[in-house]
């Protein structure tokens, strides 16, 4: 009797360990699949957005070069204009 109880306890413990490992494998499979799908989706979106914005990227580069030409290549002036506009925005939120 005594040996039989110990054997039953050992079987229960083995079943529980098997259940835990099975749960861990399923969790790893689900998380791994989800991560793979997310990365594939992210790469696809990046590719499509680069195709879309690539055409208009030249437009924004041309605007930046026009701005630099207007200020004769002095980027620090643009920095202070941007800084002052942000400062005005922060002061208007406080009021």
């Amino acid at each position: 009797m005594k040996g039989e109880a110990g054997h039953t306890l050992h079987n229960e413990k083995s079943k529980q360990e098997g259940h835990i490992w099975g749960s861990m494998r399923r969790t790893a499979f689900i998380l791994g699949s989800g991560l793979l799908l997310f990365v594939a989706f992210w790469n696809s979106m990046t590719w499509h957005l680069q195709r879309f914005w690539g055409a208009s990227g030249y437009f924004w580069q041309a605007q930046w070069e026009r701005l630099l030409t207007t200020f004769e290549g002095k980027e620090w002036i643009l920095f202070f204009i941007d800084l002052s506009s942000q400062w005005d925005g922060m002061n208007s939120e406080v009021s």
Side-chain angles (χ1 to χ4, degrees), residues 7-57:
H7 185 66
T8 306
L9 185 62
H10 179 65
N11 284 344
E12 298 256 337
K13 190 175 179 184
S14 293
K15 282 184 181 179
Q16 189 175 11
E17 286 178 3
H19 181 69
I20 290 172
W21 281 111
S23 295
M24 289 176 68
R25 276 196 308 256
R26 274 182 268 162
T27 302
F29 177 76
I30 291 169
L31 291 177
S33 298
L35 181 64
L36 183 67
L37 288 173
F38 175 74
V39 169
F41 174 75
W42 187 259
N43 285 340
S44 178
M45 287 303 298
T46 303
W47 182 77
H48 285 292
L49 290 174
Q50 282 178 345
R51 280 189 61 198
F52 175 74
W53 288 110
S56 65

Side-chain angles (χ1 to χ4, degrees), residues 1 6-7 11 16 18 20 22 29 32 34-35 38 44 46 51 66 70 79 81-82 84 86 88-89 92-94:
M1 259 264 180
H7 185 66
N11 284 344
Q16 189 175 11
I20 290 172
F29 177 76
L35 181 64
F38 175 74
S44 178
T46 303
R51 280 189 61 198
R66 266 182 63 197
T70 303
F79 172 73
I81 290 172
D82 182 47
S84 67
Q86 288 179 7
D88 290 340
S92 66
E93 289 176 6
V94 172

